[in-house]
Amino acid sequence: MDTGWKCSRMQCPPWPKGKKLVHLDLKGAPPRTEYLHQLIELFSRLGVDGLLVEYEDMFPYQGELKLLQATAQTPYSREEILNMQELAKSKGMEVIPLVQTFGHLEFVLKHRPLWGLRELPHCVGTLNPHTEDGYRLVMEMLRQVVELHPGVNTLHIGADEVYMLGEGEQSKQWLVSPERTVQQLFLNHVTKVAQAVKEAWPHINIIMWDDMMRDMSQDTLKASGLVGLVQPMLWDYTPDLDVDRTVSLLEKYHSAGMSELWAASSFKGSTSVYTCVLLTQRHVDNHLQWLKVASSLSAGVKLRGIAITGWQRYDHLSVLCELIPVALPSLAACLETLVHGQFSSEAQSKATEKLGVSTVEVSALERQSPVNSLFPGRRLAEVIVELDVLLNLEDIRFFERNMYVRGWFSLYQRQRKLVHPLITMQIHSQASTFLSLLQQKTEAVRVEMLGLYPESTVQEWIEEHVSPVLFPLQQITDEIMTCMKEIVPQI
């Protein structure tokens, strides 16, 4: 089997004993329930131990929090969330809900009644840590989520990328005292939330993202009150992850008394904010670096597990990243890399076998008929790749820059109807051909996507990826016909 891949030659020990979680980011392109169940079945076959589920506005918040529910699509019902958990548990997978409690609260603070809870008026993601109303809001969100996850043992409270913290008026007043710092401001709020979680649910383990603690000293962490209360999850999604720096951070947390540590890698959603079709190699490289980290830690430092993240948006207000179907080969490859300690020929063979494909690079998938049941969403992945190829053809994407359009149908010429009919109609013919190709392939994507995602996701995806290429072609054909009617008889 020749896939064109260069398998990893340097082998690390397999990922140490610990959980392998897959992150489900539901704040964009939330899968229909039937497809979500198919994905859980696949995750089980791939060897996943648990799900890290980030609901955001797809959670059916009730009472005063009902305004947080999505309006573009229907949030998951209580029954759907319970059924999802039952299926996961029947497959031996733990479900860990992720609820943001400080930063990345865009889906909360965008609502007008809650504007006053922002750290800064123009920073829609960061909570003002000084208001009791903000604290009560966060705790009520946690209460409703925990209540709908009976038997939950672990909760992720987010707390990453708390932008502009310390810039609000109340924070500036608090920071007037010279002994107070922004680091303490962050730690005070997170500790308060974590302590309240422990008081309400003593059995629950608490995970949080680590990035806001990376520049803190051991002494600061020891004095924070978080030691023994939270389990830091260090995230790095880059293919050239700095192994020495990452090892140093993990060992700093451990030395500060935070002995329960997690890693977070990426199988999708970390290439760029608008990626449509990913490169599996990039994500495999990220996992190879994490394997080096795990094998380089001091003897006493252990990782409880790794969360393989699959971001669907960079934040609530950004565009969609690549959809799950195009990323499933990447996920399979990343998991096998962890199991084998390298992406060897054997690891590659296992990954392709489990999905029933010949390659783990989705861009190289061959159209298959009928589609096998091992790869849920394969047909959508195939047509997205085909459409992406068209969208990135220079002749189509930059049609208005070609010699004939710039030479015989410029803006100046259009406005004054100074056009050459013969050449202009040739331009029209070529633009119409491209339009037809795009429309046919877009319709194929739309039909397949509607079976897996809500209508709002289909509309957003097409408007973000297709419309910027299709509209200029449509516009130029319309303008040509308008010109022709004025300078050529019987058009």
Side-chain angles (χ1 to χ4, degrees):
M1 177 176 58
D2 180 12
T3 62
W5 262 63
K6 292 182 179 179
C7 298
S8 169
R9 295 180 180 178
M10 294 186 63
Q11 182 172 8
C12 293
W15 187 255
K17 288 184 179 179
K19 293 185 177 179
K20 295 187 287 293
L21 311 175
V22 167
H23 171 236
L24 283 175
D25 181 13
L26 303 176
K27 65 176 170 279
R32 294 187 187 274
T33 303
E34 182 181 354
Y35 186 49
L36 186 59
H37 287 191
Q38 292 173 5
L39 290 172
I40 292 173
E41 297 272 2
L42 172 63
F43 296 161
S44 176
R45 295 198 306 273
L46 294 178
V48 173
D49 301 306
L51 304 176
L52 180 61
V53 185
E54 188 165 0
Y55 296 100
E56 281 216 356
D57 59 356
M58 288 303 293
F59 187 83
Y61 287 108
Q62 301 298 312
E64 63 181 354
L65 299 186
K66 193 167 184 178
L67 84 165
L68 304 185
Q69 291 187 16
T71 54
Q73 59 268 328
T74 304
Y76 293 112
S77 69
R78 297 175 68 85
E79 182 181 9
E80 286 171 332
I81 289 177
L82 290 170
N83 289 342
M84 178 269 291
Q85 294 174 72
E86 284 302 312
L87 176 59
K89 290 175 184 176
S90 74
K91 301 296 179 181
M93 286 187 278
E94 179 181 7
V95 176
I96 301 175
L98 191 163
V99 182
Q100 289 286 3
T101 56
F102 206 170
H104 281 306
L105 283 170
E106 294 90 355
F107 83 103
V108 176
L109 301 177
K110 71 178 184 180
H111 296 285
R112 183 178 289 272
L114 303 176
W115 284 2
L117 301 181
R118 300 175 184 176
E119 171 73 341
L120 281 173
H122 62 277
C123 185
V124 71
T126 297
L127 185 72
N128 179 345
H130 305 280
T131 69
E132 280 302 308
D133 284 347
Y135 168 72
R136 284 194 295 268
L137 172 72
V138 164
M139 292 309 302
E140 178 60 17
M141 289 165 58
L142 291 169
R143 186 194 68 78
Q144 292 194 24
V145 171
V146 170
E147 183 182 87
L148 199 54
H149 289 76
V152 64
N153 293 314
T154 306
L155 178 68
H156 197 309
I157 61 170
D160 60 317
E161 299 180 329
V162 187
Y163 299 129
M164 308 301 290
L165 182 62
E167 296 296 318
E169 287 305 315
Q170 287 181 276
S171 290
K172 287 180 178 178
Q173 292 174 17
W174 188 86
L175 290 167
V176 166
S177 299
E179 71 277 6
R180 292 176 175 174
T181 66
V182 173
Q183 291 182 349
Q184 290 173 333
L185 184 59
F186 171 80
L187 292 169
N188 287 350
H189 176 78
V190 174
T191 302
K192 183 178 181 179
V193 170
Q195 287 175 340
V197 170
K198 274 294 185 183
E199 289 172 8
W201 307 285
H203 68 285
I204 286 184
N205 298 307
I206 304 170
I207 299 174
M208 63 176 284
W209 298 118
D210 84 298
D211 55 284
M212 295 296 292
M213 301 186 291
R214 291 179 187 176
D215 293 331
M216 297 183 188
S217 68
Q218 284 188 34
D219 290 341
T220 298
L221 292 171
K222 287 178 181 177
S224 67
L226 286 179
V227 174
L229 194 58
V230 300
Q231 301 172 6
M233 180 176 276
L234 197 159
W235 57 271
D236 193 317
Y237 312 136
T238 58
D240 56 353
L241 177 156
D242 188 326
V243 173
D244 291 340
R245 177 175 178 271
T246 304
V247 168
S248 177
L249 281 171
L250 289 167
E251 294 191 345
K252 179 183 76 171
Y253 297 146
H254 186 269
S255 297
M258 297 174 164
S259 57
E260 303 289 323
L261 299 166
W262 293 77
S265 58
S266 165
F267 78 95
K268 81 174 203 73
S270 58
T271 303
S272 76
V273 69
Y274 50 78
T275 299
C276 180
V277 176
L278 56 75
L279 291 175
T280 294
Q281 181 73 66
R282 174 188 175 88
H283 298 279
V284 166
D285 287 345
N286 174 239
H287 287 78
L288 291 171
Q289 294 299 94
W290 271 112
L291 284 166
K292 293 177 186 176
V293 169
S295 65
S296 301
L297 292 169
S298 300
V301 183
K302 305 294 182 185
L303 291 170
R304 291 206 60 187
I306 185 168
I308 307 173
T309 63
W311 298 102
Q312 195 53 73
R313 299 187 192 276
Y314 276 27
D315 65 45
H316 181 76
L317 299 174
S318 66
V319 298
L320 292 172
C321 302
E322 56 267 42
L323 298 181
I324 289 177
V326 301
L328 291 178
S330 170
L331 176 61
C334 293
L335 284 162
E336 291 301 326
T337 298
L338 294 177
V339 169
H340 290 83
Q342 63 179 329
F343 197 62
S344 59
S345 296
E346 182 183 359
Q348 187 173 178
S349 178
K350 287 285 186 181
T352 54
E353 178 185 333
K354 288 179 178 179
L355 288 180
V357 296
S358 60
T359 176
V360 292
E361 283 296 1
V362 69
S363 59
L365 283 181
E366 297 175 357
R367 182 68 83 95
Q368 187 181 69
S369 183
V371 174
N372 70 70
S373 59
L374 297 177
F375 184 163
R378 172 167 178 165
R379 182 67 82 200
L380 176 57
E382 291 171 346
V383 291
I384 283 178
V385 168
E386 292 170 2
L387 177 55
D388 186 63
V389 169
L390 284 178
L391 291 171
N392 285 289
L393 286 175
E394 286 196 7
D395 286 351
I396 293 180
R397 194 169 194 87
F398 305 112
F399 186 78
E400 287 199 325
R401 298 183 190 177
N402 79 42
M403 180 184 75
Y404 295 100
V405 175
R406 296 181 67 179
W408 283 272
F409 201 64
S410 69
L411 181 62
Y412 177 90
Q413 291 164 319
R414 296 177 211 184
Q415 291 173 342
R416 292 161 177 78
K417 307 299 185 293
L418 298 173
V419 299
H420 191 302
L422 179 60
I423 296 177
T424 301
M425 289 309 294
Q426 289 174 343
I427 295 171
H428 183 277
S429 176
Q430 185 64 75
S432 298
T433 298
F434 288 154
L435 264 177
S436 179
L437 284 172
L438 284 174
Q439 289 167 342
Q440 289 173 19
K441 195 60 66 177
T442 300
E443 179 61 16
V445 168
R446 189 189 70 81
V447 169
E448 293 297 331
M449 201 179 292
L450 271 176
L452 308 182
Y453 293 100
E455 171 68 38
S456 58
T457 295
V458 181
Q459 180 179 353
E460 179 181 357
W461 192 94
I462 290 174
E463 289 188 15
E464 289 291 350
H465 290 285
V466 182
S467 296
V469 179
L470 189 146
F471 282 173
L473 289 171
Q474 185 66 64
Q475 183 178 19
I476 204 168
T477 58
D478 292 344
E479 289 182 355
I480 286 173
M481 293 312 297
T482 299
C483 283
M484 291 299 98
K485 288 177 180 178
E486 294 192 23
I487 64 174
V488 178
Q490 298 179 346
I491 288 287

